[in-house]
Amino acid sequence: MEENRTGWPLKIAVAILFIFLLVPVLVVIPLSFSGENTLKFPPTSWSFRWYISIFERERMINGFRVSVVIGLLVTSATLLIALPAAYVIVRLRTWGSEFLYNLFTAPLLLPTIVLGLAILIIFASVGLLGTFTGIALGHLVLTLPYALRIVATSLAGLPIIVEEAAATLGARPFTVFRRITLPMMAPGLLSAAALSFLVSFDEIVITLFLAGPRVSTLPVEMFRHLDTRADPLIAAIAVLMISLTLTVVLIVHRSVGLSKGFLR
Amino acid sequence: MAAATDDLNGGNRFGLATALLTPILLVNAIVFVVPIVNLLRISFNEALPGGGIGPAFTWENWIKLIEDSFYLEILLRSVGMSALITFLTLLCSYPIALYLHRASGAWRTFLFVLVIAPLLTSAVVRTYGWIAMLADNGLINNALSWFGAPTPFRLVFNMTGIIIGLTEILMPYMILALLAGFGRLDPRCEEAALTLGAKPLQTFWRIVIPLTAPGIALGCFFCFVLCVSSFITPRILGGGRVFLLATEIYDQAIVTLNWPGAATLSILVLVVFGAALVLYTRALRRLD
């Protein structure tokens, strides 16, 4: 019945468009096993040489390390900052909750190229360029709005009655929060953490403005490499990055369910 | 809620709220409010060689922006390219969104995951995938030469490459925006039109398109704005030979170290954003 209304022309068009949408990601996988010296598709010989050569590239390995450290820094800072803010906005409802929420999610409305430049100019004068702190602060401008949105939604969806019961039985507000509210928010916090990590790990434009010669992230190193030459090295790194992303997404999916975690 | 916070009277409550908000307010001040205000200010400062910024107020950057025809050229190229890409993205996304809207169950979930999967892949990776497709030695040119076509066609490191790559990269955003605006599209309306004797194509133009117009407007607005400000894909697929607003901001900021100039161009991008927003709200009002 459902399918009857969809004619064959639409189905064929949809199939072709899906191929168009997915082909640039799919093509990277066979390319990473290329044995060629240059980018040639389809490759005429196959090998693992590009995977092996990743480990000989100091810059890429260092970039990966920096990305992971900054990702973890940003994720923990994001949770520590977004959780109290969400609590004020959803629970305490003091002055202008609505206004605060809009202010804190506003950075997402600005293009990252403008944000990156604006932060570059400020950080240059205080010596934060090319430092872990500088890049992590730059990432926070993007992860905080996402995390705040997820955490606030998760907090607003909790059954308030359990907290009231605990308070009636004599628990102090902080005990209620620690023993009742926080455990119930665990799925929301996990989604916020995973999304913050992925956003930080994938961020490139702001990082490009803030990275220095020694401290720069994996996506930035990939971009710099690609800006000069395109060889299968990037394909091999890309396959590893996609695997990492899939792992994070699967962890969230297993523990909270993807639709509950990211899509609301 | 009242019980949980009962013992926090007015003053205490305000104090607690302030304490809990301090970190986020600080971060927002450091990396958002102060930098953006400063950016505006710097567009009225003189550029000194080597990344220096003169202290005096000047209109010089803005006058240069208006007088130098190079800037008018990149503005028109950016806006024109973005408009074309928005239109192509709409064409490529609409059938998928319509199909997803009508699908149901596990099949719908599966297709939905396929739509958002590219969003979880770095733009650098997807851009690289397009080089593998479009390069002289890439999939398309190799396939065409196998059929005996006079290859290679120059498909990448020029405007063609940017248009193909960005269209694909923006499709997930467009599909999600379209789906968000498809709420009013009830299958019974189409059935009614068909029952009353309308041809399928007629039903599409007279019923489906008008009912989904809010989604189309939202998707086009999003897509245009993302396109004007995108940098990574145009930079790599343009091979550094296609000059756009975003690539020029980067070049002035990082290569020539003309920060006031880059700041002025950034404000120009924000003005283009504002203009797109005005157009979008007007279109929405007309649709209602």
Side-chain angles (χ1 to χ4, degrees), chain B residues 104-161:
Chain B
S104 59
W107 179 233
R108 184 181 200 273
T109 313
F110 173 70
L111 292 179
F112 199 76
V113 169
L114 286 190
V115 167
I116 54 169
L119 286 181
L120 290 171
T121 321
S122 163
V124 183
V125 172
R126 294 165 74 194
T127 303
Y128 174 76
W130 276 114
I131 298 180
M133 295 291 295
L134 303 172
D136 289 357
N137 228 339
L139 181 62
I140 291 177
N141 269 318
N142 280 338
L144 288 176
S145 81
W146 192 76
F147 284 113
T151 52
F153 292 103
R154 301 301 325 236
L155 296 173
V156 77
F157 306 130
N158 52 26
M159 190 57 114
T160 317

Short mmCIF file of all heavy atoms in Angstrom, two decimals, chain B residues 104-161:
data_model
loop_
_atom_site.label_atom_id
_atom_site.label_comp_id
_atom_site.label_asym_id
_atom_site.label_seq_id
_atom_site.Cartn_x
_atom_site.Cartn_y
_atom_site.Cartn_z
N SER B 104 8.54 3.80 5.54
CA SER B 104 8.21 3.57 6.95
C SER B 104 9.01 2.39 7.47
O SER B 104 9.63 1.65 6.72
CB SER B 104 6.72 3.29 7.09
OG SER B 104 6.39 2.16 6.31
N GLY B 105 9.03 2.28 8.79
CA GLY B 105 9.62 1.12 9.45
C GLY B 105 11.13 1.06 9.37
O GLY B 105 11.81 2.09 9.30
N ALA B 106 11.67 -0.14 9.37
CA ALA B 106 13.12 -0.36 9.43
C ALA B 106 13.81 0.18 8.17
O ALA B 106 14.92 0.71 8.23
CB ALA B 106 13.43 -1.84 9.60
N TRP B 107 13.13 0.05 7.03
CA TRP B 107 13.67 0.55 5.75
C TRP B 107 13.94 2.04 5.83
O TRP B 107 14.99 2.54 5.42
CB TRP B 107 12.66 0.21 4.65
CG TRP B 107 13.01 0.65 3.26
CD1 TRP B 107 12.23 1.40 2.43
CD2 TRP B 107 14.20 0.35 2.51
NE1 TRP B 107 12.86 1.60 1.23
CE2 TRP B 107 14.07 0.97 1.25
CE3 TRP B 107 15.38 -0.36 2.79
CZ2 TRP B 107 15.05 0.89 0.27
CZ3 TRP B 107 16.37 -0.42 1.80
CH2 TRP B 107 16.19 0.17 0.57
N ARG B 108 12.98 2.79 6.42
CA ARG B 108 13.12 4.24 6.58
C ARG B 108 14.31 4.54 7.49
O ARG B 108 15.15 5.39 7.17
CB ARG B 108 11.84 4.81 7.18
CG ARG B 108 11.86 6.32 7.30
CD ARG B 108 10.56 6.81 7.91
NE ARG B 108 10.35 8.22 7.61
CZ ARG B 108 10.84 9.21 8.36
NH1 ARG B 108 11.55 8.93 9.42
NH2 ARG B 108 10.60 10.46 8.04
N THR B 109 14.41 3.82 8.62
CA THR B 109 15.53 4.04 9.55
C THR B 109 16.86 3.82 8.84
O THR B 109 17.79 4.61 8.97
CB THR B 109 15.42 3.08 10.74
OG1 THR B 109 14.07 3.12 11.21
CG2 THR B 109 16.36 3.48 11.85
N PHE B 110 16.92 2.71 8.07
CA PHE B 110 18.16 2.38 7.36
C PHE B 110 18.56 3.51 6.41
O PHE B 110 19.70 3.98 6.41
CB PHE B 110 17.97 1.07 6.60
CG PHE B 110 19.12 0.72 5.70
CD1 PHE B 110 20.34 0.35 6.23
CD2 PHE B 110 18.97 0.78 4.32
CE1 PHE B 110 21.41 0.03 5.40
CE2 PHE B 110 20.03 0.48 3.48
CZ PHE B 110 21.25 0.10 4.03
N LEU B 111 17.60 3.97 5.60
CA LEU B 111 17.91 5.04 4.65
C LEU B 111 18.28 6.33 5.37
O LEU B 111 19.16 7.08 4.93
CB LEU B 111 16.70 5.29 3.73
CG LEU B 111 16.36 4.16 2.77
CD1 LEU B 111 15.14 4.49 1.95
CD2 LEU B 111 17.54 3.88 1.84
N PHE B 112 17.60 6.56 6.51
CA PHE B 112 17.88 7.75 7.29
C PHE B 112 19.33 7.74 7.79
O PHE B 112 20.03 8.76 7.75
CB PHE B 112 16.90 7.81 8.47
CG PHE B 112 16.78 9.16 9.08
CD1 PHE B 112 16.05 10.15 8.43
CD2 PHE B 112 17.40 9.46 10.28
CE1 PHE B 112 15.94 11.41 8.98
CE2 PHE B 112 17.30 10.73 10.82
CZ PHE B 112 16.57 11.70 10.18
N VAL B 113 19.78 6.57 8.24
CA VAL B 113 21.17 6.44 8.69
C VAL B 113 22.13 6.71 7.52
O VAL B 113 23.14 7.39 7.67
CB VAL B 113 21.42 5.05 9.31
CG1 VAL B 113 22.90 4.80 9.53
CG2 VAL B 113 20.68 4.93 10.64
N LEU B 114 21.77 6.21 6.32
CA LEU B 114 22.61 6.46 5.14
C LEU B 114 22.72 7.95 4.85
O LEU B 114 23.76 8.44 4.41
CB LEU B 114 22.05 5.75 3.91
CG LEU B 114 22.22 4.24 3.82
CD1 LEU B 114 21.82 3.76 2.44
CD2 LEU B 114 23.67 3.85 4.10
N VAL B 115 21.62 8.69 5.10
CA VAL B 115 21.63 10.13 4.83
C VAL B 115 22.54 10.86 5.81
O VAL B 115 23.29 11.76 5.42
CB VAL B 115 20.21 10.72 4.88
CG1 VAL B 115 20.23 12.23 4.91
CG2 VAL B 115 19.40 10.23 3.69
N ILE B 116 22.48 10.47 7.11
CA ILE B 116 23.29 11.23 8.07
C ILE B 116 24.71 10.68 8.22
O ILE B 116 25.57 11.36 8.76
CB ILE B 116 22.62 11.36 9.47
CG1 ILE B 116 22.26 9.99 10.01
CG2 ILE B 116 21.45 12.28 9.43
CD1 ILE B 116 21.85 10.06 11.45
N ALA B 117 24.98 9.48 7.70
CA ALA B 117 26.32 8.91 7.81
C ALA B 117 27.40 9.85 7.25
O ALA B 117 28.43 10.05 7.89
CB ALA B 117 26.38 7.55 7.14
N PRO B 118 27.18 10.46 6.05
CA PRO B 118 28.23 11.36 5.55
C PRO B 118 28.52 12.52 6.49
O PRO B 118 29.64 13.04 6.52
CB PRO B 118 27.64 11.88 4.23
CG PRO B 118 26.67 10.85 3.81
CD PRO B 118 26.08 10.30 5.07
N LEU B 119 27.52 12.94 7.29
CA LEU B 119 27.74 14.05 8.22
C LEU B 119 28.77 13.68 9.29
O LEU B 119 29.40 14.55 9.87
CB LEU B 119 26.43 14.44 8.92
CG LEU B 119 25.43 15.20 8.09
CD1 LEU B 119 24.20 15.52 8.92
CD2 LEU B 119 26.04 16.49 7.57
N LEU B 120 28.89 12.38 9.57
CA LEU B 120 29.85 11.94 10.58
C LEU B 120 31.24 11.76 9.98
O LEU B 120 32.17 11.40 10.68
CB LEU B 120 29.39 10.63 11.22
CG LEU B 120 28.16 10.74 12.12
CD1 LEU B 120 27.65 9.37 12.51
CD2 LEU B 120 28.47 11.56 13.35
N THR B 121 31.36 11.98 8.68
CA THR B 121 32.66 11.85 8.03
C THR B 121 33.23 13.24 7.79
O THR B 121 32.51 14.13 7.36
CB THR B 121 32.51 11.15 6.67
OG1 THR B 121 31.56 10.12 6.80
CG2 THR B 121 33.80 10.57 6.20
N SER B 122 34.48 13.43 8.10
CA SER B 122 35.11 14.73 7.97
C SER B 122 34.99 15.29 6.54
O SER B 122 35.05 14.54 5.56
CB SER B 122 36.58 14.59 8.34
OG SER B 122 37.30 15.68 7.88
N ALA B 123 34.79 16.60 6.44
CA ALA B 123 34.70 17.24 5.13
C ALA B 123 35.98 17.04 4.33
O ALA B 123 35.93 16.95 3.10
CB ALA B 123 34.41 18.74 5.29
N VAL B 124 37.11 16.91 5.01
CA VAL B 124 38.38 16.69 4.31
C VAL B 124 38.33 15.35 3.58
O VAL B 124 38.74 15.23 2.43
CB VAL B 124 39.56 16.69 5.30
CG1 VAL B 124 40.87 16.54 4.56
CG2 VAL B 124 39.58 17.95 6.12
N VAL B 125 37.78 14.33 4.26
CA VAL B 125 37.71 12.99 3.68
C VAL B 125 36.79 12.97 2.47
O VAL B 125 37.12 12.43 1.41
CB VAL B 125 37.25 11.98 4.74
CG1 VAL B 125 36.99 10.63 4.11
CG2 VAL B 125 38.27 11.87 5.86
N ARG B 126 35.61 13.60 2.61
CA ARG B 126 34.66 13.58 1.49
C ARG B 126 35.21 14.37 0.31
O ARG B 126 35.02 14.01 -0.85
CB ARG B 126 33.32 14.11 1.93
CG ARG B 126 32.68 13.17 2.95
CD ARG B 126 31.54 13.82 3.66
NE ARG B 126 30.37 13.92 2.81
CZ ARG B 126 29.33 14.69 3.10
NH1 ARG B 126 29.35 15.42 4.17
NH2 ARG B 126 28.28 14.70 2.32
N THR B 127 35.89 15.48 0.60
CA THR B 127 36.51 16.27 -0.46
C THR B 127 37.57 15.45 -1.18
O THR B 127 37.65 15.44 -2.41
CB THR B 127 37.15 17.53 0.14
OG1 THR B 127 36.15 18.27 0.84
CG2 THR B 127 37.75 18.40 -0.93
N TYR B 128 38.35 14.71 -0.39
CA TYR B 128 39.37 13.84 -0.96
C TYR B 128 38.74 12.78 -1.85
O TYR B 128 39.24 12.47 -2.94
CB TYR B 128 40.17 13.19 0.18
CG TYR B 128 41.16 12.17 -0.28
CD1 TYR B 128 42.35 12.55 -0.87
CD2 TYR B 128 40.88 10.82 -0.12
CE1 TYR B 128 43.24 11.61 -1.29
CE2 TYR B 128 41.78 9.87 -0.55
CZ TYR B 128 42.96 10.26 -1.13
OH TYR B 128 43.85 9.33 -1.55
N GLY B 129 37.61 12.21 -1.38
CA GLY B 129 36.87 11.23 -2.19
C GLY B 129 36.49 11.81 -3.55
O GLY B 129 36.57 11.13 -4.57
N TRP B 130 36.13 13.09 -3.58
CA TRP B 130 35.78 13.71 -4.86
C TRP B 130 36.98 13.88 -5.76
O TRP B 130 36.86 13.79 -6.98
CB TRP B 130 35.04 15.03 -4.65
CG TRP B 130 33.59 14.78 -4.42
CD1 TRP B 130 32.87 15.01 -3.29
CD2 TRP B 130 32.68 14.17 -5.35
NE1 TRP B 130 31.58 14.59 -3.44
CE2 TRP B 130 31.43 14.08 -4.71
CE3 TRP B 130 32.78 13.70 -6.66
CZ2 TRP B 130 30.31 13.52 -5.31
CZ3 TRP B 130 31.67 13.14 -7.27
CH2 TRP B 130 30.45 13.06 -6.61
N ILE B 131 38.16 14.11 -5.18
CA ILE B 131 39.36 14.17 -6.03
C ILE B 131 39.56 12.82 -6.70
O ILE B 131 39.83 12.74 -7.90
CB ILE B 131 40.61 14.56 -5.20
CG1 ILE B 131 40.43 15.95 -4.60
CG2 ILE B 131 41.86 14.55 -6.08
CD1 ILE B 131 41.60 16.41 -3.77
N ALA B 132 39.40 11.72 -5.91
CA ALA B 132 39.57 10.38 -6.48
C ALA B 132 38.56 10.12 -7.59
O ALA B 132 38.84 9.38 -8.54
CB ALA B 132 39.41 9.34 -5.37
N MET B 133 37.38 10.73 -7.49
CA MET B 133 36.38 10.54 -8.53
C MET B 133 36.71 11.37 -9.77
O MET B 133 36.56 10.92 -10.90
CB MET B 133 34.99 10.98 -8.02
CG MET B 133 34.44 10.16 -6.90
SD MET B 133 34.00 8.52 -7.43
CE MET B 133 32.70 8.88 -8.59
N LEU B 134 37.13 12.64 -9.56
CA LEU B 134 37.13 13.62 -10.64
C LEU B 134 38.51 13.90 -11.26
O LEU B 134 38.58 14.51 -12.32
CB LEU B 134 36.55 14.95 -10.14
CG LEU B 134 35.14 14.91 -9.54
CD1 LEU B 134 34.80 16.24 -8.91
CD2 LEU B 134 34.12 14.56 -10.61
N ALA B 135 39.59 13.43 -10.61
CA ALA B 135 40.92 13.78 -11.10
C ALA B 135 41.17 13.19 -12.49
O ALA B 135 40.43 12.33 -12.96
CB ALA B 135 41.98 13.28 -10.12
N ASP B 136 42.25 13.67 -13.14
CA ASP B 136 42.59 13.20 -14.49
C ASP B 136 42.73 11.68 -14.52
O ASP B 136 42.43 11.04 -15.52
CB ASP B 136 43.92 13.83 -14.95
CG ASP B 136 43.74 15.31 -15.25
OD1 ASP B 136 42.59 15.77 -15.16
OD2 ASP B 136 44.74 15.98 -15.57
N ASN B 137 43.23 11.12 -13.41
CA ASN B 137 43.43 9.69 -13.31
C ASN B 137 42.37 9.04 -12.42
O ASN B 137 42.55 7.96 -11.90
CB ASN B 137 44.82 9.43 -12.72
CG ASN B 137 45.55 8.40 -13.53
OD1 ASN B 137 44.91 7.63 -14.24
ND2 ASN B 137 46.87 8.37 -13.40
N GLY B 138 41.25 9.75 -12.22
CA GLY B 138 40.21 9.30 -11.31
C GLY B 138 39.19 8.39 -11.98
O GLY B 138 39.30 8.06 -13.16
N LEU B 139 38.20 7.99 -11.19
CA LEU B 139 37.22 6.99 -11.63
C LEU B 139 36.47 7.44 -12.89
O LEU B 139 36.35 6.68 -13.85
CB LEU B 139 36.24 6.71 -10.49
CG LEU B 139 35.17 5.67 -10.78
CD1 LEU B 139 35.78 4.32 -11.06
CD2 LEU B 139 34.19 5.56 -9.61
N ILE B 140 35.98 8.68 -12.89
CA ILE B 140 35.13 9.11 -14.00
C ILE B 140 35.93 9.20 -15.30
O ILE B 140 35.51 8.67 -16.34
CB ILE B 140 34.44 10.45 -13.66
CG1 ILE B 140 33.41 10.20 -12.55
CG2 ILE B 140 33.77 11.05 -14.88
CD1 ILE B 140 32.71 11.42 -12.06
N ASN B 141 37.11 9.84 -15.24
CA ASN B 141 37.92 9.95 -16.45
C ASN B 141 38.39 8.59 -16.96
O ASN B 141 38.41 8.34 -18.17
CB ASN B 141 39.11 10.88 -16.21
CG ASN B 141 38.77 12.33 -16.57
OD1 ASN B 141 38.13 12.58 -17.59
ND2 ASN B 141 39.16 13.25 -15.72
N ASN B 142 38.75 7.68 -16.01
CA ASN B 142 39.17 6.34 -16.43
C ASN B 142 38.02 5.57 -17.07
O ASN B 142 38.20 4.86 -18.06
CB ASN B 142 39.74 5.56 -15.25
CG ASN B 142 41.19 5.96 -14.96
OD1 ASN B 142 41.87 6.47 -15.85
ND2 ASN B 142 41.63 5.74 -13.75
N ALA B 143 36.82 5.72 -16.50
CA ALA B 143 35.65 5.05 -17.06
C ALA B 143 35.34 5.59 -18.45
O ALA B 143 35.08 4.84 -19.38
CB ALA B 143 34.45 5.24 -16.13
N LEU B 144 35.41 6.93 -18.59
CA LEU B 144 35.10 7.54 -19.89
C LEU B 144 36.11 7.12 -20.95
O LEU B 144 35.75 6.86 -22.09
CB LEU B 144 35.06 9.06 -19.76
CG LEU B 144 33.85 9.62 -19.01
CD1 LEU B 144 33.98 11.13 -18.87
CD2 LEU B 144 32.55 9.28 -19.74
N SER B 145 37.39 7.04 -20.56
CA SER B 145 38.39 6.68 -21.56
C SER B 145 38.25 5.20 -21.95
O SER B 145 38.56 4.80 -23.07
CB SER B 145 39.80 6.98 -21.06
OG SER B 145 40.25 5.97 -20.21
N TRP B 146 37.77 4.38 -21.03
CA TRP B 146 37.50 2.97 -21.33
C TRP B 146 36.43 2.87 -22.40
O TRP B 146 36.44 1.98 -23.24
CB TRP B 146 37.04 2.27 -20.04
CG TRP B 146 37.01 0.79 -20.15
CD1 TRP B 146 38.07 -0.07 -20.12
CD2 TRP B 146 35.84 -0.03 -20.30
NE1 TRP B 146 37.63 -1.37 -20.25
CE2 TRP B 146 36.27 -1.37 -20.36
CE3 TRP B 146 34.46 0.25 -20.40
CZ2 TRP B 146 35.37 -2.44 -20.49
CZ3 TRP B 146 33.58 -0.80 -20.54
CH2 TRP B 146 34.05 -2.14 -20.58
N PHE B 147 35.48 3.83 -22.37
CA PHE B 147 34.45 3.86 -23.42
C PHE B 147 34.94 4.58 -24.67
O PHE B 147 34.18 4.76 -25.62
CB PHE B 147 33.18 4.57 -22.90
CG PHE B 147 32.37 3.71 -21.97
CD1 PHE B 147 32.25 4.05 -20.63
CD2 PHE B 147 31.73 2.57 -22.43
CE1 PHE B 147 31.50 3.26 -19.77
CE2 PHE B 147 30.98 1.78 -21.57
CZ PHE B 147 30.87 2.13 -20.24
N GLY B 148 36.19 5.04 -24.65
CA GLY B 148 36.75 5.65 -25.85
C GLY B 148 36.59 7.15 -25.97
O GLY B 148 36.80 7.73 -27.02
N ALA B 149 36.21 7.82 -24.86
CA ALA B 149 36.06 9.28 -24.91
C ALA B 149 37.44 9.95 -24.90
O ALA B 149 38.38 9.38 -24.36
CB ALA B 149 35.23 9.76 -23.72
N PRO B 150 37.55 11.13 -25.51
CA PRO B 150 38.84 11.83 -25.53
C PRO B 150 39.14 12.46 -24.16
O PRO B 150 38.87 13.62 -23.94
CB PRO B 150 38.65 12.91 -26.59
CG PRO B 150 37.18 13.16 -26.61
CD PRO B 150 36.50 11.88 -26.21
N THR B 151 39.72 11.68 -23.25
CA THR B 151 40.00 12.17 -21.90
C THR B 151 41.41 12.74 -21.82
O THR B 151 42.20 12.51 -22.74
CB THR B 151 39.86 11.02 -20.89
OG1 THR B 151 40.65 9.94 -21.33
CG2 THR B 151 38.42 10.62 -20.73
N PRO B 152 41.88 13.36 -20.75
CA PRO B 152 41.06 13.64 -19.57
C PRO B 152 40.24 14.92 -19.69
O PRO B 152 40.69 15.89 -20.29
CB PRO B 152 42.11 13.80 -18.47
CG PRO B 152 43.31 14.35 -19.18
CD PRO B 152 43.26 13.78 -20.58
N PHE B 153 39.05 14.90 -19.09
CA PHE B 153 38.27 16.13 -18.91
C PHE B 153 38.73 16.79 -17.62
O PHE B 153 38.96 16.10 -16.62
CB PHE B 153 36.78 15.80 -18.80
CG PHE B 153 36.20 15.28 -20.07
CD1 PHE B 153 35.93 13.92 -20.24
CD2 PHE B 153 35.89 16.15 -21.11
CE1 PHE B 153 35.39 13.44 -21.41
CE2 PHE B 153 35.34 15.68 -22.29
CZ PHE B 153 35.09 14.32 -22.45
N ARG B 154 38.89 18.09 -17.64
CA ARG B 154 39.29 18.79 -16.42
C ARG B 154 38.06 18.96 -15.53
O ARG B 154 37.28 19.87 -15.70
CB ARG B 154 39.90 20.16 -16.73
CG ARG B 154 41.13 20.13 -17.61
CD ARG B 154 42.30 19.32 -17.05
NE ARG B 154 42.46 19.36 -15.62
CZ ARG B 154 43.56 19.74 -14.99
NH1 ARG B 154 44.59 20.15 -15.68
NH2 ARG B 154 43.64 19.70 -13.70
N LEU B 155 37.88 18.08 -14.58
CA LEU B 155 36.69 18.10 -13.72
C LEU B 155 36.98 18.65 -12.34
O LEU B 155 36.06 18.91 -11.56
CB LEU B 155 36.12 16.68 -13.59
CG LEU B 155 35.61 16.04 -14.88
CD1 LEU B 155 35.23 14.60 -14.62
CD2 LEU B 155 34.42 16.80 -15.42
N VAL B 156 38.27 18.77 -11.99
CA VAL B 156 38.58 19.19 -10.63
C VAL B 156 39.70 20.21 -10.65
O VAL B 156 40.37 20.37 -11.69
CB VAL B 156 38.95 17.95 -9.76
CG1 VAL B 156 40.34 17.47 -10.04
CG2 VAL B 156 38.73 18.24 -8.29
N PHE B 157 39.91 20.91 -9.53
CA PHE B 157 40.82 22.04 -9.41
C PHE B 157 40.34 23.19 -10.28
O PHE B 157 41.12 23.92 -10.87
CB PHE B 157 42.27 21.63 -9.75
CG PHE B 157 42.73 20.46 -8.93
CD1 PHE B 157 43.32 19.35 -9.52
CD2 PHE B 157 42.53 20.44 -7.55
CE1 PHE B 157 43.71 18.25 -8.76
CE2 PHE B 157 42.91 19.35 -6.78
CZ PHE B 157 43.50 18.25 -7.39
N ASN B 158 39.03 23.29 -10.38
CA ASN B 158 38.39 24.44 -11.04
C ASN B 158 36.97 24.56 -10.47
O ASN B 158 36.61 23.84 -9.54
CB ASN B 158 38.35 24.22 -12.56
CG ASN B 158 37.73 22.89 -12.93
OD1 ASN B 158 36.93 22.33 -12.19
ND2 ASN B 158 38.10 22.38 -14.08
N MET B 159 36.17 25.47 -11.04
CA MET B 159 34.82 25.71 -10.54
C MET B 159 33.94 24.45 -10.62
O MET B 159 33.14 24.18 -9.72
CB MET B 159 34.20 26.86 -11.32
CG MET B 159 32.90 27.37 -10.76
SD MET B 159 33.01 27.90 -9.03
CE MET B 159 32.72 29.64 -9.19
N THR B 160 34.10 23.65 -11.70
CA THR B 160 33.29 22.43 -11.86
C THR B 160 33.44 21.52 -10.64
O THR B 160 32.44 21.02 -10.10
CB THR B 160 33.75 21.65 -13.12
OG1 THR B 160 33.95 22.59 -14.16
CG2 THR B 160 32.73 20.63 -13.53
N GLY B 161 34.68 21.31 -10.23
CA GLY B 161 34.93 20.44 -9.09
C GLY B 161 34.25 20.95 -7.83
O GLY B 161 33.64 20.17 -7.08
#
